[in-house]
Amino acid sequence: MTATALEPTVAAKPAEGRVRRVLRRHPKIVIGGTILLLIALVAIFAPYLATVDPQKVSPARRMRWPQELYWFGTDMMGRDVWSRTLYGTRVSLVVGIGAAALATVGGLALGLITGFIRWADAILMRIMDGLMSIPAVLLAIALMAITQASIQNVIIAIAIAELPRVTRLVRGVVLSLREQPFVEAATAAGTGLAMTMIRHILPNTVAPLLVQGTYVCASAMITEAILSFIGAGTPPIIPSWGNIMSEARSIFQVGWYIVVFPSVFLSITVLSVNLLGDGMRDALDPRLARRM
Amino acid sequence: MNAQAPIEAGPLLEVKDLKKHYPVRKGVLQRVVGQVYAVDGISFTVGHGETLGLVGESGCGKSTAGKSIMKLIEPTSGEINVAGKRIDNLSRGEMQSVRRQVQFVFQDPYSSLNPRMSAGDIVAEPLRNFGVAVRSEVRDRVAEIFAKVGLRREQMDRFPHEFSGGQRQRIGIARALALHPHLIICDEPVSALDVSVQAQVINLLMDLQQEFRLSYLFIAHDLAVVEHISHRVAVMYLGKIVEIADKRDLFGRAQHPYTEALLSAVPVPNPRAKSQRMILKGDVPSPIRPPSGCRFHTRCPYAVERCKAEEPKIREIAPGHHVACHLRGPDA
């Protein structure tokens, strides 16, 4: 064969070189990933970043403007906003990542079932359509209303609200994959249904799932803030960004800085997650950009 | 090595009256309003070490027929025997034993290989499924098969996108060969390849046939390719076989008007040759509402009244030469 002479040039490049090339071509991954990493470090090392107990009330020092001792000022109960905002990072990240993981795993399972089993598809997808017809935030509020306020419940409520979108995505990918000749070829080669799913279907769903996962993560963070803001989310004793904003809402005119700092943090976090997701989408599958 | 091979009695593959109808559904209630007669009662045999070419226009049901035999598509009715054992009524699990004997080569060498599996893993998949080789031996077995199809051992760890079309089809052939089947159904294995590469792949298939005494059901629309590789040829039109004959008979003394028309459309590599093309009028009729009587009568230049009313039975007009036409044969 004549092609053999040219082949060494397309031989696998060293892994490090390939990673570096991908990163250079997709700066969104670098920017989003770096910001997100910084925010994650802030969340992990919150106790060491010049913070005090975020719940410590000091009535004598209420409503201090940002100054040397209180970088982000203090709120109406004299709590340090800097400390509260930094600890709030933990809540946002845990809820975002937790809801994304839960919705992704659940959506993957449901998507595989609906993609392969016709009768289950008819039933499950009608339920998903029903869930989808309710706005995610509203559904999460309703779910929170029937449970106790806790971080776990917030994660579960948001994951359920995001589940239909992930299921739909996986189902679509599975349906198009199972018509691919290589899946037919696997059947011809004697591969069973379960093995076909593991060997041929699952690996091909990873890329779109990863991308969708980041979008779920970003939207979960916003939903968490909304839930906390209206008092239906994280219990008020936990300093989440939504809680801080919610408490400062009534004194917005005198202490607007209390609202501004957590909102800026929320915006930057969500932006970085979305940037990371966009970058991954472009890097993993350029065709996916049109599908979403 | 053929000298020692036992002479098996009877054909390796025998297909009797195979049908595949797809229901056409309409409306909210998905009522069945009709049927697509994709394959409508075809019968043929493939002998040991023989190649049967199956030709026809696109949409005539030749791929459906091939896939029905392997139950990649569930046939509507008909009887399929492999080495004398009936397989059309087997369940998915019971088909496993048949899959060791009958393998499939797909048309598109691009989409028939999982892009996320290495070439070696793709060829090893049937070996692993059937536990043919011990884990430690799988790589050596795959390397052996790679050598047979003209690929190198180092190429086992590459991924499909790193191969050319012809090389990919070699991987597909290697996968089909892994279990040492008796019959390989080739579904237009070269129609997606360049002409020069087509010849390489066809010659590879013929060499492998010599070496392993393989039988092929070779589905194609390219008559030149079919003439080169086949021992016998069956011509399909709208879900029916209209003519089956030895290659020499079919290409030399075609009887059915449709075969005549197909043969006259083959380009002759001589610009001065006088061509007597037989141009068919119109398009292939819809397989949902096939014409009455002989399915070819709407386009047949010789059609008479009888062709519209009565469907011609396939008859043997000369030893091994079967034709479904009222106008051909002893009583015509």
Side-chain angles (χ1 to χ4, degrees), chain A residues 61-93:
Chain A
R61 291 186 287 269
R62 296 182 315 159
M63 303 301 293
R64 295 277 169 88
W65 272 70
Q67 51 181 268
E68 203 193 331
L69 211 58
Y70 309 106
W71 292 349
F72 287 0
T74 60
D75 66 7
M76 59 284 176
M77 290 194 255
R79 294 176 297 193
D80 181 29
V81 179
W82 164 256
S83 307
R84 288 176 70 74
T85 307
L86 256 49
Y87 276 94
T89 312
R90 292 180 162 186
V91 178
S92 255
L93 286 185

PDB file of all heavy atoms in Angstrom, chain A residues 61-93:
ATOM      1  N   ARG A  61     -20.980  46.690  65.949  1.00  0.00           N
ATOM      2  CA  ARG A  61     -20.355  47.093  64.683  1.00  0.00           C
ATOM      3  C   ARG A  61     -21.270  46.774  63.511  1.00  0.00           C
ATOM      4  O   ARG A  61     -20.925  46.039  62.614  1.00  0.00           O
ATOM      5  CB  ARG A  61     -19.019  46.354  64.517  1.00  0.00           C
ATOM      6  CG  ARG A  61     -17.957  46.789  65.500  1.00  0.00           C
ATOM      7  CD  ARG A  61     -16.646  46.150  65.187  1.00  0.00           C
ATOM      8  NE  ARG A  61     -16.632  44.750  65.540  1.00  0.00           N
ATOM      9  CZ  ARG A  61     -16.244  44.284  66.732  1.00  0.00           C
ATOM     10  NH1 ARG A  61     -15.813  45.114  67.662  1.00  0.00           N
ATOM     11  NH2 ARG A  61     -16.273  42.998  66.989  1.00  0.00           N
ATOM     12  N   ARG A  62     -22.488  47.286  63.557  1.00  0.00           N
ATOM     13  CA  ARG A  62     -23.427  47.002  62.483  1.00  0.00           C
ATOM     14  C   ARG A  62     -23.217  47.949  61.323  1.00  0.00           C
ATOM     15  O   ARG A  62     -22.774  49.088  61.504  1.00  0.00           O
ATOM     16  CB  ARG A  62     -24.865  47.132  62.989  1.00  0.00           C
ATOM     17  CG  ARG A  62     -25.196  46.111  64.057  1.00  0.00           C
ATOM     18  CD  ARG A  62     -26.607  46.252  64.485  1.00  0.00           C
ATOM     19  NE  ARG A  62     -26.938  47.654  64.697  1.00  0.00           N
ATOM     20  CZ  ARG A  62     -28.158  48.128  64.680  1.00  0.00           C
ATOM     21  NH1 ARG A  62     -29.166  47.334  64.439  1.00  0.00           N
ATOM     22  NH2 ARG A  62     -28.383  49.414  64.887  1.00  0.00           N
ATOM     23  N   MET A  63     -23.528  47.526  60.126  1.00  0.00           N
ATOM     24  CA  MET A  63     -23.583  48.374  58.938  1.00  0.00           C
ATOM     25  C   MET A  63     -22.328  49.208  58.722  1.00  0.00           C
ATOM     26  O   MET A  63     -22.394  50.375  58.386  1.00  0.00           O
ATOM     27  CB  MET A  63     -24.801  49.306  59.007  1.00  0.00           C
ATOM     28  CG  MET A  63     -26.139  48.586  59.156  1.00  0.00           C
ATOM     29  SD  MET A  63     -26.478  47.463  57.812  1.00  0.00           S
ATOM     30  CE  MET A  63     -26.670  48.606  56.486  1.00  0.00           C
ATOM     31  N   ARG A  64     -21.172  48.569  58.899  1.00  0.00           N
ATOM     32  CA  ARG A  64     -19.932  49.300  58.595  1.00  0.00           C
ATOM     33  C   ARG A  64     -19.657  49.204  57.107  1.00  0.00           C
ATOM     34  O   ARG A  64     -19.764  48.143  56.511  1.00  0.00           O
ATOM     35  CB  ARG A  64     -18.747  48.697  59.370  1.00  0.00           C
ATOM     36  CG  ARG A  64     -18.865  48.836  60.871  1.00  0.00           C
ATOM     37  CD  ARG A  64     -18.391  50.226  61.314  1.00  0.00           C
ATOM     38  NE  ARG A  64     -18.737  50.459  62.717  1.00  0.00           N
ATOM     39  CZ  ARG A  64     -17.955  50.102  63.735  1.00  0.00           C
ATOM     40  NH1 ARG A  64     -16.815  49.487  63.508  1.00  0.00           N
ATOM     41  NH2 ARG A  64     -18.318  50.331  64.973  1.00  0.00           N
ATOM     42  N   TRP A  65     -19.270  50.309  56.518  1.00  0.00           N
ATOM     43  CA  TRP A  65     -18.897  50.284  55.111  1.00  0.00           C
ATOM     44  C   TRP A  65     -17.589  49.538  54.931  1.00  0.00           C
ATOM     45  O   TRP A  65     -16.828  49.412  55.892  1.00  0.00           O
ATOM     46  CB  TRP A  65     -18.772  51.715  54.564  1.00  0.00           C
ATOM     47  CG  TRP A  65     -20.100  52.193  54.061  1.00  0.00           C
ATOM     48  CD1 TRP A  65     -21.173  52.503  54.823  1.00  0.00           C
ATOM     49  CD2 TRP A  65     -20.481  52.343  52.702  1.00  0.00           C
ATOM     50  NE1 TRP A  65     -22.219  52.853  54.034  1.00  0.00           N
ATOM     51  CE2 TRP A  65     -21.831  52.774  52.720  1.00  0.00           C
ATOM     52  CE3 TRP A  65     -19.825  52.168  51.479  1.00  0.00           C
ATOM     53  CZ2 TRP A  65     -22.525  53.017  51.539  1.00  0.00           C
ATOM     54  CZ3 TRP A  65     -20.516  52.433  50.324  1.00  0.00           C
ATOM     55  CH2 TRP A  65     -21.864  52.838  50.361  1.00  0.00           C
ATOM     56  N   PRO A  66     -17.291  49.063  53.722  1.00  0.00           N
ATOM     57  CA  PRO A  66     -16.011  48.382  53.508  1.00  0.00           C
ATOM     58  C   PRO A  66     -14.858  49.252  53.982  1.00  0.00           C
ATOM     59  O   PRO A  66     -14.806  50.450  53.649  1.00  0.00           O
ATOM     60  CB  PRO A  66     -15.969  48.185  51.994  1.00  0.00           C
ATOM     61  CG  PRO A  66     -17.398  48.106  51.592  1.00  0.00           C
ATOM     62  CD  PRO A  66     -18.138  49.023  52.524  1.00  0.00           C
ATOM     63  N   GLN A  67     -13.977  48.677  54.782  1.00  0.00           N
ATOM     64  CA  GLN A  67     -12.866  49.428  55.350  1.00  0.00           C
ATOM     65  C   GLN A  67     -11.729  48.480  55.639  1.00  0.00           C
ATOM     66  O   GLN A  67     -11.793  47.298  55.305  1.00  0.00           O
ATOM     67  CB  GLN A  67     -13.335  50.130  56.620  1.00  0.00           C
ATOM     68  CG  GLN A  67     -14.016  49.129  57.552  1.00  0.00           C
ATOM     69  CD  GLN A  67     -14.521  49.756  58.816  1.00  0.00           C
ATOM     70  OE1 GLN A  67     -13.800  49.777  59.799  1.00  0.00           O
ATOM     71  NE2 GLN A  67     -15.746  50.289  58.760  1.00  0.00           N
ATOM     72  N   GLU A  68     -10.706  48.971  56.304  1.00  0.00           N
ATOM     73  CA  GLU A  68      -9.495  48.191  56.497  1.00  0.00           C
ATOM     74  C   GLU A  68      -9.771  46.881  57.219  1.00  0.00           C
ATOM     75  O   GLU A  68      -9.317  45.821  56.813  1.00  0.00           O
ATOM     76  CB  GLU A  68      -8.485  49.022  57.285  1.00  0.00           C
ATOM     77  CG  GLU A  68      -7.071  48.538  57.055  1.00  0.00           C
ATOM     78  CD  GLU A  68      -6.114  49.147  58.065  1.00  0.00           C
ATOM     79  OE1 GLU A  68      -6.375  50.263  58.532  1.00  0.00           O
ATOM     80  OE2 GLU A  68      -5.112  48.490  58.377  1.00  0.00           O
ATOM     81  N   LEU A  69     -10.552  46.928  58.295  1.00  0.00           N
ATOM     82  CA  LEU A  69     -10.793  45.739  59.102  1.00  0.00           C
ATOM     83  C   LEU A  69     -11.845  44.838  58.464  1.00  0.00           C
ATOM     84  O   LEU A  69     -11.740  43.617  58.493  1.00  0.00           O
ATOM     85  CB  LEU A  69     -11.233  46.165  60.506  1.00  0.00           C
ATOM     86  CG  LEU A  69     -10.816  45.208  61.621  1.00  0.00           C
ATOM     87  CD1 LEU A  69      -9.311  45.008  61.658  1.00  0.00           C
ATOM     88  CD2 LEU A  69     -11.336  45.740  62.957  1.00  0.00           C
ATOM     89  N   TYR A  70     -12.871  45.454  57.881  1.00  0.00           N
ATOM     90  CA  TYR A  70     -13.961  44.693  57.243  1.00  0.00           C
ATOM     91  C   TYR A  70     -13.929  44.995  55.754  1.00  0.00           C
ATOM     92  O   TYR A  70     -14.481  46.000  55.326  1.00  0.00           O
ATOM     93  CB  TYR A  70     -15.323  45.079  57.846  1.00  0.00           C
ATOM     94  CG  TYR A  70     -15.320  45.003  59.353  1.00  0.00           C
ATOM     95  CD1 TYR A  70     -15.299  46.153  60.125  1.00  0.00           C
ATOM     96  CD2 TYR A  70     -15.329  43.756  59.964  1.00  0.00           C
ATOM     97  CE1 TYR A  70     -15.278  46.072  61.499  1.00  0.00           C
ATOM     98  CE2 TYR A  70     -15.298  43.674  61.344  1.00  0.00           C
ATOM     99  CZ  TYR A  70     -15.276  44.823  62.115  1.00  0.00           C
ATOM    100  OH  TYR A  70     -15.236  44.745  63.476  1.00  0.00           O
ATOM    101  N   TRP A  71     -13.251  44.145  54.994  1.00  0.00           N
ATOM    102  CA  TRP A  71     -13.001  44.434  53.580  1.00  0.00           C
ATOM    103  C   TRP A  71     -14.289  44.626  52.788  1.00  0.00           C
ATOM    104  O   TRP A  71     -14.342  45.453  51.890  1.00  0.00           O
ATOM    105  CB  TRP A  71     -12.171  43.310  52.955  1.00  0.00           C
ATOM    106  CG  TRP A  71     -10.773  43.254  53.498  1.00  0.00           C
ATOM    107  CD1 TRP A  71     -10.182  44.213  54.283  1.00  0.00           C
ATOM    108  CD2 TRP A  71      -9.833  42.219  53.318  1.00  0.00           C
ATOM    109  NE1 TRP A  71      -8.921  43.847  54.614  1.00  0.00           N
ATOM    110  CE2 TRP A  71      -8.663  42.623  54.034  1.00  0.00           C
ATOM    111  CE3 TRP A  71      -9.814  41.001  52.633  1.00  0.00           C
ATOM    112  CZ2 TRP A  71      -7.512  41.829  54.073  1.00  0.00           C
ATOM    113  CZ3 TRP A  71      -8.678  40.227  52.667  1.00  0.00           C
ATOM    114  CH2 TRP A  71      -7.539  40.635  53.376  1.00  0.00           C
ATOM    115  N   PHE A  72     -15.291  43.832  53.109  1.00  0.00           N
ATOM    116  CA  PHE A  72     -16.568  43.973  52.396  1.00  0.00           C
ATOM    117  C   PHE A  72     -17.621  44.613  53.292  1.00  0.00           C
ATOM    118  O   PHE A  72     -18.805  44.547  53.029  1.00  0.00           O
ATOM    119  CB  PHE A  72     -17.092  42.592  51.919  1.00  0.00           C
ATOM    120  CG  PHE A  72     -16.330  42.018  50.760  1.00  0.00           C
ATOM    121  CD1 PHE A  72     -15.251  42.686  50.188  1.00  0.00           C
ATOM    122  CD2 PHE A  72     -16.704  40.805  50.209  1.00  0.00           C
ATOM    123  CE1 PHE A  72     -14.557  42.162  49.123  1.00  0.00           C
ATOM    124  CE2 PHE A  72     -16.013  40.270  49.135  1.00  0.00           C
ATOM    125  CZ  PHE A  72     -14.929  40.941  48.591  1.00  0.00           C
ATOM    126  N   GLY A  73     -17.193  45.192  54.419  1.00  0.00           N
ATOM    127  CA  GLY A  73     -18.142  45.816  55.338  1.00  0.00           C
ATOM    128  C   GLY A  73     -18.794  44.795  56.247  1.00  0.00           C
ATOM    129  O   GLY A  73     -18.459  43.610  56.247  1.00  0.00           O
ATOM    130  N   THR A  74     -19.767  45.279  57.035  1.00  0.00           N
ATOM    131  CA  THR A  74     -20.540  44.382  57.896  1.00  0.00           C
ATOM    132  C   THR A  74     -22.021  44.601  57.615  1.00  0.00           C
ATOM    133  O   THR A  74     -22.414  45.637  57.091  1.00  0.00           O
ATOM    134  CB  THR A  74     -20.272  44.648  59.392  1.00  0.00           C
ATOM    135  OG1 THR A  74     -20.636  46.009  59.669  1.00  0.00           O
ATOM    136  CG2 THR A  74     -18.827  44.411  59.731  1.00  0.00           C
ATOM    137  N   ASP A  75     -22.839  43.575  57.995  1.00  0.00           N
ATOM    138  CA  ASP A  75     -24.270  43.702  57.704  1.00  0.00           C
ATOM    139  C   ASP A  75     -25.033  44.231  58.920  1.00  0.00           C
ATOM    140  O   ASP A  75     -24.434  44.657  59.901  1.00  0.00           O
ATOM    141  CB  ASP A  75     -24.829  42.376  57.188  1.00  0.00           C
ATOM    142  CG  ASP A  75     -24.790  41.287  58.252  1.00  0.00           C
ATOM    143  OD1 ASP A  75     -24.450  41.589  59.410  1.00  0.00           O
ATOM    144  OD2 ASP A  75     -25.100  40.125  57.892  1.00  0.00           O
ATOM    145  N   MET A  76     -26.377  44.145  58.839  1.00  0.00           N
ATOM    146  CA  MET A  76     -27.186  44.778  59.882  1.00  0.00           C
ATOM    147  C   MET A  76     -27.047  44.098  61.249  1.00  0.00           C
ATOM    148  O   MET A  76     -27.511  44.606  62.230  1.00  0.00           O
ATOM    149  CB  MET A  76     -28.658  44.844  59.447  1.00  0.00           C
ATOM    150  CG  MET A  76     -29.294  43.508  59.136  1.00  0.00           C
ATOM    151  SD  MET A  76     -28.724  42.925  57.510  1.00  0.00           S
ATOM    152  CE  MET A  76     -29.479  41.359  57.412  1.00  0.00           C
ATOM    153  N   MET A  77     -26.417  42.917  61.270  1.00  0.00           N
ATOM    154  CA  MET A  77     -26.187  42.283  62.564  1.00  0.00           C
ATOM    155  C   MET A  77     -24.709  42.301  62.924  1.00  0.00           C
ATOM    156  O   MET A  77     -24.278  41.605  63.844  1.00  0.00           O
ATOM    157  CB  MET A  77     -26.713  40.847  62.555  1.00  0.00           C
ATOM    158  CG  MET A  77     -28.233  40.796  62.513  1.00  0.00           C
ATOM    159  SD  MET A  77     -28.826  39.158  62.902  1.00  0.00           S
ATOM    160  CE  MET A  77     -29.294  38.579  61.312  1.00  0.00           C
ATOM    161  N   GLY A  78     -23.944  43.065  62.159  1.00  0.00           N
ATOM    162  CA  GLY A  78     -22.528  43.194  62.443  1.00  0.00           C
ATOM    163  C   GLY A  78     -21.698  41.994  62.010  1.00  0.00           C
ATOM    164  O   GLY A  78     -20.573  41.821  62.446  1.00  0.00           O
ATOM    165  N   ARG A  79     -22.274  41.150  61.120  1.00  0.00           N
ATOM    166  CA  ARG A  79     -21.486  40.010  60.633  1.00  0.00           C
ATOM    167  C   ARG A  79     -20.585  40.459  59.484  1.00  0.00           C
ATOM    168  O   ARG A  79     -20.978  41.314  58.677  1.00  0.00           O
ATOM    169  CB  ARG A  79     -22.424  38.891  60.180  1.00  0.00           C
ATOM    170  CG  ARG A  79     -23.216  38.307  61.333  1.00  0.00           C
ATOM    171  CD  ARG A  79     -24.204  37.280  60.865  1.00  0.00           C
ATOM    172  NE  ARG A  79     -25.216  37.865  59.982  1.00  0.00           N
ATOM    173  CZ  ARG A  79     -26.345  37.242  59.635  1.00  0.00           C
ATOM    174  NH1 ARG A  79     -26.581  36.023  60.093  1.00  0.00           N
ATOM    175  NH2 ARG A  79     -27.212  37.830  58.848  1.00  0.00           N
ATOM    176  N   ASP A  80     -19.411  39.849  59.394  1.00  0.00           N
ATOM    177  CA  ASP A  80     -18.422  40.247  58.393  1.00  0.00           C
ATOM    178  C   ASP A  80     -18.825  39.735  57.013  1.00  0.00           C
ATOM    179  O   ASP A  80     -18.901  38.523  56.788  1.00  0.00           O
ATOM    180  CB  ASP A  80     -17.051  39.685  58.797  1.00  0.00           C
ATOM    181  CG  ASP A  80     -15.971  40.092  57.810  1.00  0.00           C
ATOM    182  OD1 ASP A  80     -16.123  41.174  57.204  1.00  0.00           O
ATOM    183  OD2 ASP A  80     -15.018  39.302  57.626  1.00  0.00           O
ATOM    184  N   VAL A  81     -19.095  40.627  56.058  1.00  0.00           N
ATOM    185  CA  VAL A  81     -19.575  40.224  54.726  1.00  0.00           C
ATOM    186  C   VAL A  81     -18.488  39.471  53.961  1.00  0.00           C
ATOM    187  O   VAL A  81     -18.775  38.536  53.214  1.00  0.00           O
ATOM    188  CB  VAL A  81     -20.066  41.461  53.928  1.00  0.00           C
ATOM    189  CG1 VAL A  81     -20.529  41.051  52.536  1.00  0.00           C
ATOM    190  CG2 VAL A  81     -21.207  42.138  54.669  1.00  0.00           C
ATOM    191  N   TRP A  82     -17.238  39.889  54.122  1.00  0.00           N
ATOM    192  CA  TRP A  82     -16.110  39.172  53.471  1.00  0.00           C
ATOM    193  C   TRP A  82     -16.138  37.695  53.863  1.00  0.00           C
ATOM    194  O   TRP A  82     -16.097  36.813  53.000  1.00  0.00           O
ATOM    195  CB  TRP A  82     -14.797  39.844  53.896  1.00  0.00           C
ATOM    196  CG  TRP A  82     -13.541  39.046  53.645  1.00  0.00           C
ATOM    197  CD1 TRP A  82     -12.809  38.370  54.572  1.00  0.00           C
ATOM    198  CD2 TRP A  82     -12.870  38.853  52.400  1.00  0.00           C
ATOM    199  NE1 TRP A  82     -11.727  37.769  53.997  1.00  0.00           N
ATOM    200  CE2 TRP A  82     -11.725  38.048  52.659  1.00  0.00           C
ATOM    201  CE3 TRP A  82     -13.109  39.288  51.091  1.00  0.00           C
ATOM    202  CZ2 TRP A  82     -10.844  37.663  51.654  1.00  0.00           C
ATOM    203  CZ3 TRP A  82     -12.214  38.899  50.101  1.00  0.00           C
ATOM    204  CH2 TRP A  82     -11.101  38.094  50.365  1.00  0.00           C
ATOM    205  N   SER A  83     -16.234  37.441  55.189  1.00  0.00           N
ATOM    206  CA  SER A  83     -16.244  36.049  55.631  1.00  0.00           C
ATOM    207  C   SER A  83     -17.457  35.317  55.096  1.00  0.00           C
ATOM    208  O   SER A  83     -17.377  34.175  54.635  1.00  0.00           O
ATOM    209  CB  SER A  83     -16.254  35.980  57.161  1.00  0.00           C
ATOM    210  OG  SER A  83     -15.207  36.741  57.681  1.00  0.00           O
ATOM    211  N   ARG A  84     -18.610  35.964  55.155  1.00  0.00           N
ATOM    212  CA  ARG A  84     -19.848  35.319  54.718  1.00  0.00           C
ATOM    213  C   ARG A  84     -19.793  34.999  53.223  1.00  0.00           C
ATOM    214  O   ARG A  84     -20.208  33.932  52.782  1.00  0.00           O
ATOM    215  CB  ARG A  84     -21.049  36.219  55.037  1.00  0.00           C
ATOM    216  CG  ARG A  84     -21.347  36.264  56.515  1.00  0.00           C
ATOM    217  CD  ARG A  84     -22.462  37.231  56.858  1.00  0.00           C
ATOM    218  NE  ARG A  84     -23.778  36.782  56.401  1.00  0.00           N
ATOM    219  CZ  ARG A  84     -24.462  35.810  56.976  1.00  0.00           C
ATOM    220  NH1 ARG A  84     -23.948  35.163  58.002  1.00  0.00           N
ATOM    221  NH2 ARG A  84     -25.649  35.473  56.517  1.00  0.00           N
ATOM    222  N   THR A  85     -19.273  35.934  52.425  1.00  0.00           N
ATOM    223  CA  THR A  85     -19.195  35.710  50.985  1.00  0.00           C
ATOM    224  C   THR A  85     -18.268  34.543  50.665  1.00  0.00           C
ATOM    225  O   THR A  85     -18.589  33.677  49.846  1.00  0.00           O
ATOM    226  CB  THR A  85     -18.699  36.981  50.264  1.00  0.00           C
ATOM    227  OG1 THR A  85     -19.511  38.075  50.658  1.00  0.00           O
ATOM    228  CG2 THR A  85     -18.762  36.817  48.760  1.00  0.00           C
ATOM    229  N   LEU A  86     -17.119  34.521  51.357  1.00  0.00           N
ATOM    230  CA  LEU A  86     -16.164  33.450  51.089  1.00  0.00           C
ATOM    231  C   LEU A  86     -16.730  32.082  51.481  1.00  0.00           C
ATOM    232  O   LEU A  86     -16.568  31.096  50.746  1.00  0.00           O
ATOM    233  CB  LEU A  86     -14.853  33.720  51.829  1.00  0.00           C
ATOM    234  CG  LEU A  86     -13.711  34.237  50.944  1.00  0.00           C
ATOM    235  CD1 LEU A  86     -14.192  35.389  50.083  1.00  0.00           C
ATOM    236  CD2 LEU A  86     -12.525  34.650  51.771  1.00  0.00           C
ATOM    237  N   TYR A  87     -17.404  32.036  52.628  1.00  0.00           N
ATOM    238  CA  TYR A  87     -18.005  30.756  53.016  1.00  0.00           C
ATOM    239  C   TYR A  87     -19.164  30.384  52.079  1.00  0.00           C
ATOM    240  O   TYR A  87     -19.450  29.211  51.857  1.00  0.00           O
ATOM    241  CB  TYR A  87     -18.477  30.792  54.476  1.00  0.00           C
ATOM    242  CG  TYR A  87     -17.367  30.478  55.460  1.00  0.00           C
ATOM    243  CD1 TYR A  87     -16.621  31.503  56.042  1.00  0.00           C
ATOM    244  CD2 TYR A  87     -17.052  29.166  55.771  1.00  0.00           C
ATOM    245  CE1 TYR A  87     -15.596  31.223  56.919  1.00  0.00           C
ATOM    246  CE2 TYR A  87     -16.022  28.875  56.655  1.00  0.00           C
ATOM    247  CZ  TYR A  87     -15.288  29.906  57.230  1.00  0.00           C
ATOM    248  OH  TYR A  87     -14.266  29.622  58.087  1.00  0.00           O
ATOM    249  N   GLY A  88     -19.807  31.409  51.545  1.00  0.00           N
ATOM    250  CA  GLY A  88     -20.897  31.158  50.594  1.00  0.00           C
ATOM    251  C   GLY A  88     -20.428  30.435  49.343  1.00  0.00           C
ATOM    252  O   GLY A  88     -21.184  29.691  48.715  1.00  0.00           O
ATOM    253  N   THR A  89     -19.163  30.637  48.969  1.00  0.00           N
ATOM    254  CA  THR A  89     -18.581  29.942  47.822  1.00  0.00           C
ATOM    255  C   THR A  89     -18.761  28.434  47.965  1.00  0.00           C
ATOM    256  O   THR A  89     -19.068  27.734  47.010  1.00  0.00           O
ATOM    257  CB  THR A  89     -17.084  30.269  47.726  1.00  0.00           C
ATOM    258  OG1 THR A  89     -16.921  31.679  47.841  1.00  0.00           O
ATOM    259  CG2 THR A  89     -16.507  29.795  46.418  1.00  0.00           C
ATOM    260  N   ARG A  90     -18.565  27.957  49.219  1.00  0.00           N
ATOM    261  CA  ARG A  90     -18.688  26.519  49.462  1.00  0.00           C
ATOM    262  C   ARG A  90     -20.082  26.025  49.089  1.00  0.00           C
ATOM    263  O   ARG A  90     -20.219  25.010  48.415  1.00  0.00           O
ATOM    264  CB  ARG A  90     -18.443  26.212  50.940  1.00  0.00           C
ATOM    265  CG  ARG A  90     -17.022  26.466  51.346  1.00  0.00           C
ATOM    266  CD  ARG A  90     -16.831  26.139  52.805  1.00  0.00           C
ATOM    267  NE  ARG A  90     -15.419  25.971  53.085  1.00  0.00           N
ATOM    268  CZ  ARG A  90     -14.948  25.569  54.259  1.00  0.00           C
ATOM    269  NH1 ARG A  90     -15.769  25.309  55.251  1.00  0.00           N
ATOM    270  NH2 ARG A  90     -13.654  25.423  54.430  1.00  0.00           N
ATOM    271  N   VAL A  91     -21.097  26.751  49.539  1.00  0.00           N
ATOM    272  CA  VAL A  91     -22.476  26.331  49.282  1.00  0.00           C
ATOM    273  C   VAL A  91     -22.721  26.257  47.776  1.00  0.00           C
ATOM    274  O   VAL A  91     -23.213  25.259  47.246  1.00  0.00           O
ATOM    275  CB  VAL A  91     -23.471  27.291  49.947  1.00  0.00           C
ATOM    276  CG1 VAL A  91     -24.903  26.866  49.634  1.00  0.00           C
ATOM    277  CG2 VAL A  91     -23.242  27.355  51.431  1.00  0.00           C
ATOM    278  N   SER A  92     -22.335  27.329  47.085  1.00  0.00           N
ATOM    279  CA  SER A  92     -22.592  27.387  45.642  1.00  0.00           C
ATOM    280  C   SER A  92     -21.919  26.235  44.910  1.00  0.00           C
ATOM    281  O   SER A  92     -22.534  25.579  44.073  1.00  0.00           O
ATOM    282  CB  SER A  92     -22.092  28.714  45.081  1.00  0.00           C
ATOM    283  OG  SER A  92     -23.182  29.549  44.819  1.00  0.00           O
ATOM    284  N   LEU A  93     -20.644  26.000  45.215  1.00  0.00           N
ATOM    285  CA  LEU A  93     -19.921  24.952  44.507  1.00  0.00           C
ATOM    286  C   LEU A  93     -20.489  23.578  44.823  1.00  0.00           C
ATOM    287  O   LEU A  93     -20.669  22.748  43.923  1.00  0.00           O
ATOM    288  CB  LEU A  93     -18.428  24.998  44.849  1.00  0.00           C
ATOM    289  CG  LEU A  93     -17.632  26.127  44.216  1.00  0.00           C
ATOM    290  CD1 LEU A  93     -16.150  25.975  44.534  1.00  0.00           C
ATOM    291  CD2 LEU A  93     -17.823  26.142  42.701  1.00  0.00           C
TER     292      LEU A  93
END
